[in-house]
Amino acid sequence: MELIQSFSVDHTKIVPGIFTSRTDTVDKGMITTYDIRLKRPNREPVIDVAAMHSLEHIIATFLRNDSEWKNDIIYWGPMGCLTGFYLILKGNHSSREIYDLILGAFKSVAKAEEVPGAAPVNCGHYLMHNLAMAKWYASEFVEYLEANADNPKIFEYPKAERLVTDDGKHFYDS
C-alpha cells in the first residue's frame, strides 16, 4: 500500500515552518494544503489541547474575516499529532507566498480578548479553551517565523528516503 504524501515527510528532520503538503486539482481549479508546523515532531512537547482548540477558533476567525485571503480559505484545523495545523487554500501558492498570511494570523492571537465561538451553541467542547496559553504558543511561533524568515528549511519539507528493492519496490518500515 502506498503511503499518503504526509507520511512520506521525514518527521525526524522537520522543523517548525510553513510547508506545502499537497496540491490537488478540483472542478474549478487547484487547491493547496499547507502544513503549518509549530513544533518539531517527536522531539518537543506538543501543543496543549485546550490552547490548540483556542488557536483553531481565533485563527479560523481571523482567516475568514480579517485577511486579504478570506475568499480563498477552505479549511483551517489542527493536526491530530498536535504539532501544528492544516490550511487549505484555493489556488496554488508557494509556502513563501503565504508567509505574511500565517504571520498575520498568529500575530492576531495577541489581540484576542476572548475566544470566538467558545459557547455551547457554537462549539462542541466550549469549556476546553485556554486563551493565555494560545497567546503564548502564538507568540513563540511569531518570534520563530520572524527570526527564520530567510531560512529555506522553514519552507521545504524534508523528504523521507525509502529503500528500493532490486525489483523496484519501495520498502516502508513500520
Side-chain angles (χ1 to χ4, degrees):
M1 181 180 298
E2 186 85 18
L3 281 180
I4 63 171
Q5 193 167 354
S6 63
F7 294 157
S8 68
V9 173
D10 190 338
H11 284 72
T12 66
K13 295 178 182 168
I14 197 168
V15 297
I18 303 166
F19 307 99
T20 299
S21 178
R22 62 182 289 157
T23 56
D24 295 287
T25 302
V26 294
D27 294 337
K28 298 186 183 198
M30 299 286 290
I31 61 169
T32 306
T33 303
Y34 301 92
D35 171 334
I36 312 303
R37 190 71 62 147
L38 280 70
K39 297 292 179 182
R40 295 178 342 157
N42 304 309
R43 290 180 288 181
E44 61 182 306
V46 298
I47 302 165
D48 170 75
V49 176
M52 187 78 148
H53 192 198
S54 296
L55 287 168
E56 176 193 11
H57 278 237
I58 296 164
I59 293 174
T61 300
F62 170 84
L63 291 172
R64 292 188 178 105
N65 288 288
D66 299 329
S67 79
E68 69 274 10
W69 295 73
K70 66 183 176 184
N71 295 323
D72 294 329
I73 305 297
I74 295 173
Y75 174 79
W76 170 261
M79 293 178 177
C81 63
L82 302 176
T83 61
F85 293 87
Y86 288 113
L87 170 65
I88 303 175
L89 287 176
K90 294 176 190 174
N92 184 10
H93 308 280
S94 73
S95 296
R96 288 181 190 272
E97 287 178 273
I98 68 161
Y99 172 86
D100 288 335
L101 171 66
I102 299 306
L103 187 62
F106 278 88
K107 282 183 173 183
S108 77
V109 177
K111 301 172 193 166
E113 294 180 15
E114 61 183 26
V115 177
V121 69
N122 306 115
C123 180
H125 197 349
Y126 77 100
L127 294 175
M128 188 184 68
H129 285 283
N130 188 331
L131 180 58
M133 283 304 297
K135 288 183 176 203
W136 184 84
Y137 285 110
S139 173
E140 177 185 56
F141 193 53
V142 164
E143 288 177 25
Y144 175 84
L145 287 178
E146 290 177 334
N148 288 279
D150 296 324
N151 182 352
K153 287 185 178 183
I154 74 164
F155 299 108
E156 298 167 11
Y157 260 155
K159 293 291 183 183
E161 292 187 29
R162 301 292 179 195
L163 297 174
V164 179
T165 63
D166 290 338
D167 60 354
K169 294 182 181 171
H170 289 272
F171 175 79
Y172 297 100
D173 55 353
S174 57

